[in-house]
């Protein structure tokens, strides 16, 4: 049995994205901050900053959002919703807006992206599980409470039609937070920056010398954490969902954290990862999971039908499949 540390995966993935994004060029050194927040490593780099409190404020924003949006932090708005036994809970504008966005992606993906996945995620517990398969009866029970249509949002009031349902915004929150950080930095006059929230990358502009940021895409399961390819990005988001991020292995069978809400088991569709390039990171965050769940053919077809969204799919034979507007 093989089990890979969640924290090790996140940290190594984050490091290689940043290393790939910092090719040697004669450019000014950025101001930067690195912290553990949002249950991952975050790094924010800005060029042309003259505000000594700027990066401190960014970290403070991350912690404030975590205190609102975390499923596990007691007292958070999501925690309150999940423990209200179906009773309505009044939440902040941010939480209501994010839940509405998540429900939108639930609808367009026919439930493949589902923020009520929490009962199944808790059951599998990939963060701590070293290789124990849940019982089918437990999967069936958890799965019976997974349905995004059970979430009701009216202005700032949120309730769960199924009292045993539970919201988990882990598949979209970091993208939303990255977008809010970008908005803040723009108001502060920042024209060049990178925001990395556990591998979710969002950029402001390009490098100060006018070149694009080079964002490396990790080769799945590679023990040396090598980069399989890189993407040139300016003023865009890059988000990857992959089965190598959290998983365990039993008898050569990989069980990973991207769960099918319909079956309660990890998807088996021949994909290793999906990377989404988009203008807004909240879109990339949700779509990286949704398009993975759709599979290669349907996922590519969906991306190719959208404006301002591109994708890179990596199949289990390590072939790279690009959407029509993404240059290899």
């Amino acid at each position: 049995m093989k089990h890979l540390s969640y924290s090790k995966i996140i940290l190594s993935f984050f490091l290689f994205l940043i290393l790939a994004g910092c090719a040697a060029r004669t450019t000014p050194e950025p101001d930067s901050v690195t912290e553990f927040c949002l249950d991952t490593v975050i790094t924010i780099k800005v060029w042309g900053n003259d505000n000594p409190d700027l990066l401190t404020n960014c970290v403070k924003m991350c912690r404030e959002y975590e205190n609102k949006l975390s499923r596990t932090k007691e007292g958070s708005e999501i925690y309150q919703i999940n423990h209200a036994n179906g009773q309505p809970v009044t939440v902040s504008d941010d939480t209501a807006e994010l839940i509405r966005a998540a429900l939108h992606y639930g609808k367009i993906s026919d439930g493949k992206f589902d923020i009520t996945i929490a009962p199944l995620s808790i059951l599998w517990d990939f963060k701590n599980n070293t290789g124990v398969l849940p019982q089918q009866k437990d999967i069936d029970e958890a799965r019976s409470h997974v349905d995004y249509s059970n979430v009701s949002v009216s202005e700032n009031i949120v309730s769960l039609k199924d009292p045993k349902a539970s919201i988990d915004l882990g598949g979209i929150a970091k993208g939303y937070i990255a977008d809010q950080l970008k908005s803040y930095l723009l108001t502060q006059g920042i024209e060049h920056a990178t925001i990395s929230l556990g591998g979710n990358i969002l950029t402001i502009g390009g490098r100060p010398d006018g070149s694009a940021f080079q964002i490396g895409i990790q080769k799945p399961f590679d023990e040396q954490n090598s980069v399989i390819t890189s993407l040139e990005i300016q003023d865009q988001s890059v988000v990857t969902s992959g089965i190598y991020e959290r998983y365990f292995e039993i008898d050569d069978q990989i069980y990973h954290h991207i769960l099918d809400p319909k079956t309660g088991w990890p998807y088996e569709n021949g994909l290793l990862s999906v990377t989404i390039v988009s203008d807004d990171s909240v879109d990339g965050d949700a779509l990286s999971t949704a398009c993975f769940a759709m599979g290669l053919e349907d996922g590519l077809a969906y991306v190719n039908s959208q404006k301002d969204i591109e994708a890179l799919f990596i199949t289990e034979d390590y072939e790279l499949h690009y959407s029509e507007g993404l240059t290899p």
Side-chain angles (χ1 to χ4, degrees):
M1 180 181 68
K2 183 178 180 182
H3 178 259
L4 197 54
S5 165
Y6 168 64
S7 60
K8 181 179 178 182
I9 281 289
I10 288 295
L11 183 57
S12 61
F13 182 58
F14 152 80
L15 286 173
F16 269 87
L17 282 168
I18 294 305
L19 286 172
C22 295
R25 293 180 182 272
T26 306
T27 56
E29 287 297 313
D31 292 337
S32 67
V33 63
T34 298
E35 295 277 351
F36 188 84
C37 186
L38 307 173
D39 202 28
T40 190
V41 177
I42 69 171
T43 290
I44 302 167
K45 296 184 177 183
V46 299
W47 284 262
N49 171 44
D50 57 7
N51 179 356
D53 297 322
L54 185 75
L55 294 177
T56 300
N57 290 341
C58 287
V59 174
K60 182 180 178 182
M61 286 176 63
C62 288
R63 299 201 185 283
E64 289 173 348
Y65 280 116
E66 183 175 29
N67 289 335
K68 290 181 185 178
L69 304 175
S70 169
R71 176 182 61 81
T72 57
K73 276 189 174 293
E74 189 170 349
S76 77
E77 293 180 353
I78 299 304
Y79 186 95
Q80 292 177 48
I81 295 168
N82 290 343
H83 291 80
N85 198 33
Q87 295 302 305
V89 175
T90 301
V91 300
S92 63
D93 290 345
D94 287 315
T95 300
E97 179 183 353
L98 182 53
I99 290 175
R100 278 192 286 267
L103 295 178
H104 165 73
Y105 280 108
K107 291 176 182 177
I108 66 172
S109 68
D110 191 29
K112 292 179 174 62
F113 178 84
D114 194 321
I115 58 168
T116 63
I117 196 72
L120 284 168
S121 300
I122 293 168
L123 182 64
W124 282 89
D125 189 19
F126 283 96
K127 184 175 179 180
N128 302 301
N129 191 349
T130 57
V132 178
L133 294 177
Q135 296 292 314
Q136 184 62 52
K137 63 180 179 61
D138 295 327
I139 291 176
D140 291 340
E141 167 61 20
R143 186 170 54 86
S144 70
H145 303 295
V146 177
D147 185 346
Y148 70 92
S149 65
N150 282 324
V151 182
S152 173
V153 186
S154 177
E155 296 184 347
N156 289 61
I157 298 175
V158 181
S159 60
L160 298 174
K161 300 173 187 176
D162 177 357
K164 292 185 178 181
S166 187
I167 293 174
D168 187 342
L169 295 175
I172 193 171
K174 288 196 293 294
Y176 179 83
I177 296 168
D179 289 334
Q180 305 315 304
L181 290 170
K182 180 174 180 176
S183 294
Y184 168 69
L185 291 174
L186 288 172
T187 67
Q188 301 303 301
I190 298 301
E191 298 179 351
H192 310 279
T194 60
I195 301 164
S196 174
L197 306 183
N200 288 41
I201 308 296
L202 180 61
T203 67
I204 295 177
R207 292 181 170 280
D209 65 2
S211 64
F213 290 106
Q214 295 283 334
I215 307 300
I217 306 300
Q218 185 181 351
K219 183 178 181 180
F221 297 111
D222 186 79
E223 294 184 359
Q224 302 302 314
N225 298 314
S226 62
V227 172
I228 194 169
T229 190
S230 64
L231 302 174
E232 290 192 347
I233 298 299
Q234 294 198 62
D235 213 37
Q236 286 183 300
S237 164
V238 178
V239 182
T240 299
S241 289
I243 69 173
Y244 56 89
E245 294 170 338
R246 281 170 284 169
Y247 74 95
F248 57 80
E249 186 173 344
I250 302 176
D251 297 331
D252 297 323
Q253 174 69 42
I254 288 174
Y255 298 91
H256 58 83
H257 76 291
I258 307 178
L259 300 173
D260 183 345
K262 298 287 194 297
T263 68
W265 289 83
Y267 282 101
E268 294 184 59
N269 58 11
L271 289 176
L272 297 180
S273 71
V274 174
T275 298
I276 298 292
V277 179
S278 58
D279 292 338
D280 296 324
S281 194
V282 67
D283 297 328
D285 209 359
L287 284 175
S288 62
T289 299
C291 288
F292 184 99
M294 293 177 194
L296 177 61
E297 184 175 347
D298 289 346
L300 268 178
Y302 174 81
V303 171
N304 288 333
S305 72
Q306 303 299 303
K307 293 181 179 180
D308 303 323
I309 301 288
E310 302 297 341
L312 167 62
F313 291 69
I314 302 179
T315 46
E316 59 189 4
D317 56 3
Y318 287 86
E319 289 292 319
L320 308 183
H321 304 264
Y322 293 87
S323 60
E324 292 173 352
L326 196 61
T327 303

